[in-house]
Amino acid sequence: MKYWIVIVACVMLPYVFAQDSVLVFDRPGVADSPYLTMPKKWYFEAGYGLTSTSKWPDLLVPSCMLRRAICSKAELRIAVNTTPQSQDFITKTRAYDGNFTSVGIKQKLIKEKKFIPETAILVNTYSGLCFTKKSKIINAFGYETGFLFQNNLSKFFSINYNFGFISFLGQKSSYLNESTCLNFNLTDEIGAFVENFNYWNVNTNFFEASYDFGLIYALKNKYQIDVSYIANHSKKRTHYGTLLLGFSLKI
């Protein structure tokens, strides 16, 4: 089974939102941050995931996302080969080989103030891409919505956390998801993170608890790379891990 194409190791560049300057990452399907891209700039993010079953042809098409501010408090997000990082979802949609496009909007809701977190809402849609005769595109449409939060407790440490709902029409699969990520700014250019994220299929009562950790390196406020390891785990299915490499740039 090809897991790599539904896993994205995308991270955001350091940027300024109003008076905030923080080093955060933004990976669809795991823990998105509530921060937006800078006005009048395109952000390109891409990532590869390697497992024990990966083959060289799998690396021809990475997971990619384009982001751009559409107003002072919202951004447009267009991505390919990205879906929720749920082992249950991967299993149910293996007929599509994980090939999806997504279009969404992130809307800023609240600015951080003391103990009130930076807050945004993300609304996203997914559509399956049919490359084989066996794929059934009619069953591949889905949507998600989630609330994104972040507290910057110091220049060194921050925490971001998400709560959301995902539904895939025709698959009879709906999920509640949660993630919590600890971010460490080791220097002005280097960051590290440790994260737990979970999915619960409300139709089958299937629960999976997962984690990941990694390092981020930013260069000249225009480029960034990250290396991480991600692992999905559940009692009913095999535990599997993936080594990820991601990069991003500001255009």
Side-chain angles (χ1 to χ4, degrees):
M1 188 177 300
K2 300 177 180 179
Y3 292 112
W4 74 274
I5 46 183
V6 295
I7 304 170
V8 61
C10 293
V11 294
M12 289 197 306
L13 302 166
Y15 61 89
V16 177
F17 178 84
Q19 300 301 314
D20 297 325
S21 182
V22 293
L23 179 64
V24 295
F25 61 93
D26 196 2
R27 295 165 305 143
V30 192
D32 286 320
S33 81
Y35 295 96
L36 307 178
T37 56
M38 295 177 64
K40 301 180 181 180
K41 296 290 184 180
W42 283 98
Y43 282 67
F44 174 75
E45 305 174 349
Y48 291 97
L50 298 176
T51 72
S52 59
T53 60
S54 296
K55 299 178 182 179
W56 285 113
D58 296 339
L59 303 180
L60 296 177
V61 183
S63 301
C64 300
M65 181 167 68
L66 277 173
R67 307 167 59 209
R68 183 179 174 87
I70 54 177
C71 66
S72 61
K73 293 186 177 182
E75 71 174 28
L76 175 68
R77 304 153 64 89
I78 303 172
V80 295
N81 291 339
T82 62
T83 67
Q85 177 49 36
S86 163
Q87 183 183 9
D88 187 61
F89 172 80
I90 293 169
T91 301
K92 290 182 179 300
T93 59
R94 60 181 179 270
Y96 306 99
D97 274 347
N99 295 295
F100 285 83
T101 58
S102 64
V103 178
I105 292 178
K106 183 192 291 185
Q107 173 72 46
K108 178 72 68 174
L109 298 179
I110 301 173
K111 288 286 297 171
E112 182 179 14
K113 185 177 181 181
K114 294 185 178 180
F115 295 105
I116 299 175
E118 192 89 13
T119 306
I121 186 172
L122 174 65
V123 178
N124 207 34
T125 62
Y126 294 96
S127 296
L129 294 178
C130 180
F131 291 118
T132 68
K133 295 181 180 180
K134 295 181 180 180
S135 295
K136 297 179 180 180
I137 195 169
I138 192 173
N139 291 330
F141 181 78
Y143 65 89
E144 68 174 319
T145 182
F147 289 94
L148 322 176
F149 308 93
Q150 180 154 331
N151 292 91
N152 297 295
L153 303 180
S154 69
K155 291 183 178 180
F156 173 75
F157 177 71
S158 65
I159 178 172
N160 66 301
Y161 42 101
N162 300 170
F163 303 94
F165 175 78
I166 306 166
S167 179
F168 282 85
L169 308 180
Q171 295 289 340
K172 297 182 179 180
S173 296
S174 296
Y175 302 86
L176 296 177
N177 65 295
E178 175 276 334
S179 59
T180 302
C181 187
L182 307 181
N183 308 290
F184 305 91
N185 297 329
L186 306 180
T187 70
D188 291 339
E189 295 83 22
I190 300 175
F193 63 88
V194 179
E195 175 184 27
N196 166 255
F197 61 97
N198 309 290
Y199 291 91
W200 177 45
N201 187 322
V202 299
N203 304 101
T204 63
N205 203 33
F206 177 82
F207 180 79
E208 54 188 299
S210 308
Y211 66 89
D212 66 342
F213 57 88
L215 291 173
I216 300 168
Y217 177 71
L219 178 65
K220 297 182 179 180
N221 199 31
K222 288 186 178 181
Y223 313 99
Q224 187 162 296
I225 61 174
D226 72 284
V227 179
S228 61
Y229 177 82
I230 189 170
N232 289 69
H233 181 74
S234 65
K235 293 182 178 180
K236 296 181 180 180
R237 295 185 182 146
T238 304
H239 166 98
Y240 69 92
T242 307
L243 179 66
L244 301 108
L245 172 66
F247 62 94
S248 59
L249 59 91
K250 181 172 61 178
I251 304 173

